[in-house]
DNA sequence: AGTAATCCCGACAGATTCGGTCGGAATTCG
DNA sequence: CGAATTCCGACCGAATCTGTCGGGATTACT
């Protein structure tokens, strides 16, 4: 049971964009360097994030990517659904609209087994729904201009002084 | 994010063994037929379950497999750990003793990202720790001999009358 | 003893996904 | 125009998934 590096890299990408939020578009090359990740691979990931409306792209020179809205309005479940597909520990327990997949469940013991996957799915979904990108962005880089953003540490995040 | 069919098939296998608990060893062929799964593939899975001490094998004619202890003493987290490996949504967030893998976490934003995977891992672990195989065995087949086992429906399981 | 049933076990293999790479076209800024 | 950057499709090696195959070892029954 594990997520792929798509999820890992994609989340790290989003965190970087979160730190840069309010500073206009950032180039992929910049982020790839900061996170030490292969830029061509990030391209694939960021394009799906763009298609999902989580980031906005600006083409041409001085272009790049930026969050489509503030980090605290981006639930992590949305990010991971884009990167990893629907939260579905098993086909018969997807969390997206394609619930019409039920005809596959005609096994004898399937109904109760299904119950297990649904429990797991709900546990993950609930956890993810309670987190936003802001929970993962520890230090916001100062914006170029504009009001100073108050560093609001969510109650769900442990005190950084302990780390 | 998904489990493989190893987990699916293995759990179904365990459920079948749960239904047959108290009736001596059951052959894999029998279970493969009941669940309509490829027997040679089940062999692989059941052997790891045996190595983990969850099932006991009896060789020779009239041999087969049976649970090593009652279904309600088999936590589902143990089953899935055997079948799918440690509950680790990401390398840096495993739930097993190999926590010495931390040196890989030296990235800038990694610490906070790690927090996400740990949250997910804990959500899954907690859910799985609260379930035993008995929660997935709806109808216990009557044992050949011995006292009648009371059908104890755990509070966590929804009323079957609703299904 | 012989035979049938069954587990045991290792090797193989096709399909799919993972984790990228490469090259170039399109767009925009200076 | 030229440099920076996104956009996009094609390709690719390696690993994993999902099995299959063949035979050996062990036991029960007759």
């Amino acid at each position: 049971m594990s997520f792929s590096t798509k999820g890992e890299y994609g989340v790290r990408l989003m965190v970087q964009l979160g730190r840069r939020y309010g500073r206009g578009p950032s180039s992929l090359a910049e982020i790839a360097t900061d996170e030490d990740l292969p830029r061509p691979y990030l391209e694939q990931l960021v394009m799906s994030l763009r298609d999902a409306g989580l980031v906005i792209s600006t083409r041409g020179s001085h272009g790049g990517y930026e969050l489509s809205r503030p980090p605290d309005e981006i639930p992590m479940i949305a990010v991971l659904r884009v990167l990893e597909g629907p939260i579905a520990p098993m086909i018969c327990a997807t969390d997206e609209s394609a619930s019409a997949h039920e005809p596959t469940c005609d096994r004898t013991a399937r109904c109760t087994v299904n119950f297990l996957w649904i429990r797991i799915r709900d546990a993950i979904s609930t956890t993810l729904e309670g987190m936003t990108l802001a929970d993962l962005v520890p230090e916001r880089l100062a914006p170029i201009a504009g009001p100073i953003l108050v560093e609001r540490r969510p109650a769900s995040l442990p005190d950084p002084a302990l780390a």
Side-chain angles (χ1 to χ4, degrees), chain A:
Chain A
M1 209 311 291
S2 64
F3 288 88
S4 65
T5 60
K6 266 189 207 172
E8 163 95 30
Y9 293 179
V11 168
R12 279 162 67 183
L13 169 65
M14 290 295 282
V15 167
Q16 286 290 338
L17 291 182
R19 292 191 178 179
R20 288 165 166 79
Y21 183 67
R23 301 205 301 166
S26 308
S27 79
L28 261 199
E30 186 183 346
I31 292 173
T33 301
D34 276 18
E35 286 287 331
D36 196 24
L37 297 175
R39 187 187 60 89
Y41 191 35
L42 283 188
E43 273 190 15
Q44 290 182 10
L45 305 185
V46 81
M47 283 174 66
S48 51
L49 291 168
R50 176 205 55 184
D51 291 345
L54 295 176
V55 308
I56 293 175
S57 67
T58 308
R59 302 187 63 167
S61 189
H62 294 90
Y65 297 93
E66 58 192 314
L67 297 183
S68 63
R69 42 186 195 274
D72 62 355
E73 293 178 17
I74 299 182
M76 289 312 294
I77 194 170
V79 176
L80 282 178
R81 263 205 280 249
V82 169
L83 295 167
E84 298 275 349
I87 307 296
M90 203 55 59
I91 0 161
C92 55
T94 184
D95 73 336
E96 283 199 330
S97 51
S99 300
H101 283 171
E102 301 185 15
T104 59
C105 290
D106 54 352
R107 290 271 134 254
T108 316
R110 179 66 77 76
C111 297
T112 50
V113 173
N114 192 344
F115 174 59
L116 173 67
W117 310 128
I118 289 181
R119 276 287 205 89
I120 296 176
R121 180 200 66 190
D122 289 347
I124 300 175
S125 293
T126 304
T127 301
L128 252 26
E129 278 163 6
M131 297 181 74
T132 72
L133 185 57
D135 294 327
L136 300 180
V137 179
E139 24 177 337
R140 178 82 52 82
L141 295 183
I144 295 281
I148 295 177
L149 297 177
V150 175
E151 191 174 350
R152 213 168 27 89
R153 177 169 59 82
S156 56
L157 205 65
D159 194 326
L162 300 178

